[in-house]
Amino acid sequence: DGRGGGRRRSRGNAMAAQAFTFAPESLEGTVATFAAGAVQKQDVAVTLGALAGSLAVVKGFDALAERGLIEQNLSRKLIHTTCGPLFILSWLFFTNSDLARYLSAVIPFVNGLRLFLIGSGTVANAAAVKAVSRKGGREELLKGPFYYTIVLTLSTVVFWRNPTGIVALSIMCGGDGLADIIGRRFGGNNSLFYNRSKSVAGSTAMFLGSFLLSEFLLMAFTGFGFLDSMNAETTARVLFICGVTTVVESLPINKYIDDNISVPLVALALGSNLF
């Protein structure tokens, strides 16, 4: 993973490759493992606790936005910047079971299903629409917020406890979320020359938020023994990935591809080659 030698990097890449393999025999093995009762009680407890916690955070911001206590756009980005990092931290408390990643992935999957049901009109929830949408339309929930949960779900399965996934999700959650919050408040008179809808203030917040959250989470996973010790080379790689994704986020391409797709995809591609 770029922290202590090739052994951990090759292991992380092998785990990621294995997660992409869905051969019939591997599926049968997974089913057999479930049938054999290999699901750990601790993993179930952490999943339920994290799911309840994430729904509580979302419901809390829903209520604040519905009552007009916080702005609609601020509520949307606060959900963006809080739920993701808290979810990644929950990975620390799962066991080393092969099924832990799949149970953890249930958390963003359920939140994504909730957004899909509300956004499609199957379930009525005016508070959620007001808290998560930009302009108050329920169909907006099927775009950026829904993509966000898809990226969280897939990254959990494929890059479980891997520095590539940790950094990419940190950038999507912490960096991209802060870019919007700070940019709206302090970017009025410092727009970027190549994209007037983005600002120096927002891009600076994007870079710093991405880097600081990435380093914090990597240190946490290192402290829990899931990653090797950090070093200057690791920090340099994180800085590089944060710098490139900051540029990507600032480009005038979000009318064609959502930031919740372009930013983490670039981060995952870079991380897969650097860690």
Side-chain angles (χ1 to χ4, degrees), residues 203-241:
S203 291
T204 301
M206 165 82 179
F207 178 76
L208 292 177
S210 299
F211 175 70
L212 293 175
L213 181 58
S214 294
E215 288 290 288
F216 168 74
L217 290 175
L218 289 173
M219 288 176 63
F221 278 81
T222 299
F224 273 69
F226 294 118
L227 300 175
D228 296 333
S229 59
M230 296 181 66
N231 53 42
E233 186 179 1
T234 304
T235 299
R237 291 171 178 175
V238 174
L239 281 169
F240 176 73
I241 296 173

Side-chain angles (χ1 to χ4, degrees), residues 26-245:
S26 64
L27 178 60
E28 291 174 5
T30 301
V31 173
T33 304
F34 270 104
V39 178
Q40 302 294 313
K41 292 181 179 178
Q42 178 178 330
D43 293 335
V44 174
V46 174
T47 298
L48 294 175
L51 183 58
S54 67
L55 290 175
V57 171
V58 171
K59 287 283 190 181
F61 284 120
D62 288 353
L64 291 174
E66 186 179 33
R67 293 170 183 165
L69 297 177
I70 57 176
E71 298 174 9
Q72 188 169 327
N73 279 318
L74 179 59
S75 169
R76 180 174 59 85
K77 284 303 179 179
L78 286 176
I79 292 173
H80 188 108
T81 56
T82 55
C83 287
L86 290 174
F87 168 65
I88 300 168
L89 283 172
S90 75
W91 294 3
L92 295 169
F93 304 101
F94 284 86
T95 68
N96 290 324
S97 166
D98 291 337
L99 299 178
R101 70 176 71 198
Y102 300 105
L103 284 171
S104 180
V106 168
I107 300 164
F109 177 82
V110 168
N111 281 295
L113 179 60
R114 174 177 178 267
L115 290 173
F116 178 80
L117 293 175
I118 297 171
S120 63
T122 305
V123 173
N125 190 327
V129 172
K130 187 172 184 179
V132 180
S133 65
R134 290 176 182 268
K135 300 178 180 179
R138 62 174 172 77
E139 66 279 356
E140 294 179 54
L141 275 64
L142 301 177
K143 297 178 182 179
F146 186 57
Y147 302 150
Y148 177 87
T149 61
I150 292 175
V151 172
L152 284 174
T153 302
L154 294 178
S155 295
T156 300
V157 173
V158 180
F159 297 99
W160 175 246
R161 289 173 177 166
N162 184 295
T164 296
I166 293 170
V167 172
L169 295 182
S170 296
I171 293 170
M172 181 182 74
C173 301
D176 187 45
L178 279 179
D180 188 83
I181 293 173
I182 300 301
R184 286 180 184 275
R185 279 155 180 73
F186 303 105
N189 58 359
N190 51 80
S191 298
L192 297 174
F193 71 91
Y194 56 88
N195 186 359
R196 306 301 293 178
S197 67
K198 303 288 184 176
S199 65
V200 173
S203 291
T204 301
M206 165 82 179
F207 178 76
L208 292 177
S210 299
F211 175 70
L212 293 175
L213 181 58
S214 294
E215 288 290 288
F216 168 74
L217 290 175
L218 289 173
M219 288 176 63
F221 278 81
T222 299
F224 273 69
F226 294 118
L227 300 175
D228 296 333
S229 59
M230 296 181 66
N231 53 42
E233 186 179 1
T234 304
T235 299
R237 291 171 178 175
V238 174
L239 281 169
F240 176 73
I241 296 173
C242 291
V244 172
T245 51

